[in-house]
Amino acid sequence: MMKKSMDDDVLRQKIIALLKESGSTSSDSDLNTAVMNMLKILPPPVIKLDAKNSLPVSSCLLKNEIPYPPPKKADFTFIDLFAGIGGFRLAFQKAGGRSIFSSEWDEAAQKTYEANYGEIPVGDIRAVDKEAIPAHDVLCAGFPCQPFSLAGVSKKNSMGRATGFEDQTQGTLFFEIKEILARKRPAAFMLENVKNLFRHDQGRTFEIIRHTLEDVLGYVVNWRIVDGSKWVPQHRERLFIVGYNPDLIDIRKEDIFIPVEPLSEEHYKAKQLKDIILPHVDGYTLGPGTWDTLERHKAHHEAEGNGFGYGLHRVPIKENEITRTISARYHKDGAEILIEQPGNRPRRLTVEEAMQLQGYDPEHFLFPVSRTQAYKQIGNSVVWPAIHSCALEIARVLRTRRKAK
């Protein structure tokens, strides 16, 4: 772990002193913990972009080189925040939408996004001039989970704001979503996050998000845990949050439908794991040291009485078999999903196998990056067919429930 600099310690003490001067009644221990948590997520200084540089750049790739070019005609528009490799874009584009803005800070993910959609997303969303973002119908975002550590610590000297500080979401990436929703007021939004967002920071994180979306911004909002295993052979539970602008859409909370399986109109046929896993693969076998470490790790946890350890799929793969959740660390040892090789050590999934666990087509979707980066990007992605089912429902609501002007 990197040693904290003296500057961090000085800054921590100064923040605590300011909070006390502002009238905080929290204990020294609680203040110290809150400020330490804040410093962990404190973003580096942001160089603000002007309006011209706040927009994505069209690629120099020829249209016939792009697997998923923007449609010529669209039923609605959307923006793609924290875009990754474009799972939301693929889903909403297939549902009849056209992306008119994208943002992704990771340069390797930008390369994959460009290769597949012909667009280089703008980088850090915090630097973007929000007024430069075009008006749109739907905001899409799979945003990172961060604690709102200082929310409500002080309610004095707060410039008349009920929440104490300028904003309970200030300093987090969710704040960027909130700012865009407040300024652009799109008809709808869809957010995606890990299932544990409900329990994160003892439930405070989700409550601040709910309060911001419903009470502050005035959207009609609903949410649901959705397991991607209904679309792909991977257990992947995620929280989907969908909201509509009541000034534009006539809908009640209980009318917001979030699919937990493919819609009947999709005629969706899920792939079986046994049809994804290749029979013979070279170059993916675990090294003896890695395999020995995984076995010792599993034995230790079994002795402790819990089920932690690697996930091994024995061949032949059975009907309806599903994997554990693939993560961004898969490139390290592949522990979540290993494939048996009789007479040899297990192997990792190939990139082509792994991408199918998120619904991507290996015959069309491109990864112009290293194997390590591809695994990271796949692990960070969404199950895009699950997003697509929700996108179809959002498109239906936009089409049938929009209020007359």
Side-chain angles (χ1 to χ4, degrees):
M1 182 179 292
M2 184 178 294
K3 187 180 186 297
K4 282 281 184 181
S5 70
M6 183 60 70
D7 287 344
D8 286 333
D9 290 331
V10 171
L11 179 60
R12 176 171 55 85
Q13 293 298 336
K14 285 185 176 180
I15 293 173
I16 290 173
L18 285 171
L19 290 172
K20 288 182 175 180
E21 288 174 13
S22 299
S24 172
T25 58
S26 299
S27 69
D28 287 351
S29 176
D30 286 347
L31 283 174
N32 185 66
T33 298
V35 174
M36 289 292 286
N37 284 336
M38 185 195 74
L39 289 174
K40 289 177 185 176
I41 65 165
L42 198 64
V46 175
I47 300 174
K48 293 293 184 180
L49 301 173
D50 58 23
K52 180 180 179 181
N53 291 309
S54 290
L55 297 174
V57 178
S58 295
S59 172
C60 60
L61 294 172
L62 298 176
K63 191 168 184 179
N64 61 5
E65 298 177 313
I66 302 168
Y68 305 100
K72 293 180 179 179
K73 294 183 179 180
D75 299 323
F76 61 92
T77 59
F78 65 94
I79 66 172
D80 193 8
L81 306 180
F82 313 106
I85 60 175
F88 267 96
R89 177 160 184 154
L90 189 55
F92 274 80
Q93 195 164 287
K94 190 179 178 184
R98 181 175 68 248
S99 175
I100 56 174
F101 177 86
S102 59
S103 174
E104 169 55 47
W105 71 271
D106 184 82
E107 292 183 1
Q110 286 179 342
K111 291 179 181 178
T112 300
Y113 198 99
E114 178 190 7
N116 287 282
Y117 309 106
E119 178 178 295
I120 305 171
V122 68
D124 193 339
I125 189 62
R126 295 169 299 157
V128 168
D129 179 355
K130 305 302 187 291
E131 292 300 330
I133 297 175
H136 51 278
D137 295 309
V138 186
L139 178 149
C140 303
F143 66 101
C145 180
Q146 294 177 291
F148 305 117
S149 302
L150 293 180
V153 175
S154 169
K155 291 183 181 290
K156 295 184 179 180
N157 301 323
S158 60
M159 304 297 290
R161 294 178 184 268
T163 54
F165 289 94
E166 179 186 0
D167 192 306
Q168 288 178 297
T169 65
Q170 189 82 44
T172 68
L173 295 172
F174 178 75
F175 175 76
E176 307 301 327
I177 295 172
K178 176 252 181 185
E179 284 294 284
I180 297 170
L181 289 173
R183 290 171 186 246
K184 298 299 178 178
R185 303 295 297 172
F189 64 77
M190 180 180 179
L191 310 179
E192 181 264 1
N193 210 297
V194 295
K195 173 187 175 182
N196 287 341
L197 182 67
F198 273 129
R199 298 195 298 270
H200 190 263
D201 198 18
Q202 299 179 317
R204 287 187 287 267
T205 299
F206 182 76
E207 174 53 26
I208 291 173
I209 290 171
R210 184 213 61 76
H211 168 72
T212 301
L213 296 173
E214 290 189 328
D215 304 330
V216 177
L217 295 175
Y219 276 78
V220 183
V221 184
N222 211 343
W223 51 86
R224 198 165 189 177
I225 299 294
V226 177
D227 190 344
S229 66
K230 298 295 184 180
W231 289 265
V232 296
Q234 177 202 182
H235 175 64
R236 193 180 189 90
E237 290 184 303
R238 289 296 184 266
L239 174 65
F240 288 3
I241 307 173
V242 175
Y244 294 97
N245 183 344
D247 295 332
L248 302 175
I249 304 296
D250 183 14
I251 198 166
R252 300 172 300 172
K253 184 186 190 80
E254 56 267 31
D255 295 330
I256 298 177
F257 173 59
I258 300 175
V260 294
E261 61 184 6
L263 301 172
S264 59
E265 69 233 43
E266 294 184 75
H267 304 290
Y268 186 82
K269 184 172 176 57
K271 274 191 174 182
Q272 289 277 337
L273 183 63
K274 65 184 181 66
D275 297 325
I276 291 173
I277 300 304
L278 300 170
H280 303 290
V281 172
D282 294 325
Y284 292 83
T285 301
L286 296 186
T290 300
W291 178 231
D292 181 62
T293 299
L294 289 179
E295 285 196 298
R296 284 189 286 106
H297 181 70
K298 186 167 188 174
H300 169 75
H301 282 293
E302 286 178 345
E304 295 290 325
N306 60 53
F308 293 109
Y310 58 82
L312 179 65
H313 291 268
R314 300 194 179 278
V315 293
I317 305 292
K318 297 176 183 176
E319 190 82 12
N320 297 322
E321 194 166 335
I322 65 171
T323 72
R324 294 182 182 182
T325 302
I326 191 168
S327 73
R329 68 170 298 283
Y330 187 76
H331 67 282
K332 293 184 177 180
D333 55 25
E336 309 100 288
I337 308 165
L338 295 172
I339 307 301
E340 180 188 43
Q341 296 185 117
N344 199 352
R345 296 181 299 278
R347 70 170 177 88
R348 295 177 176 84
L349 297 171
T350 67
V351 170
E352 290 73 19
E353 292 168 334
M355 66 194 292
Q356 293 178 76
L357 296 184
Q358 301 285 41
Y360 295 99
D361 182 353
E363 293 187 6
H364 293 92
F365 198 89
L366 305 175
F367 281 101
V369 292
S370 69
R371 184 190 295 182
T372 294
Q373 285 295 335
Y375 283 136
K376 286 182 179 179
Q377 292 171 8
I378 292 167
N380 279 327
S381 182
V382 294
V383 175
W384 81 260
I387 301 291
H388 176 246
S389 295
C390 198
L392 286 172
E393 173 61 16
I394 291 172
R396 185 191 68 79
V397 170
L398 295 179
R399 189 170 60 249
T400 62
R401 289 180 173 265
R402 196 181 287 270
K403 290 182 177 181
K405 293 182 179 179

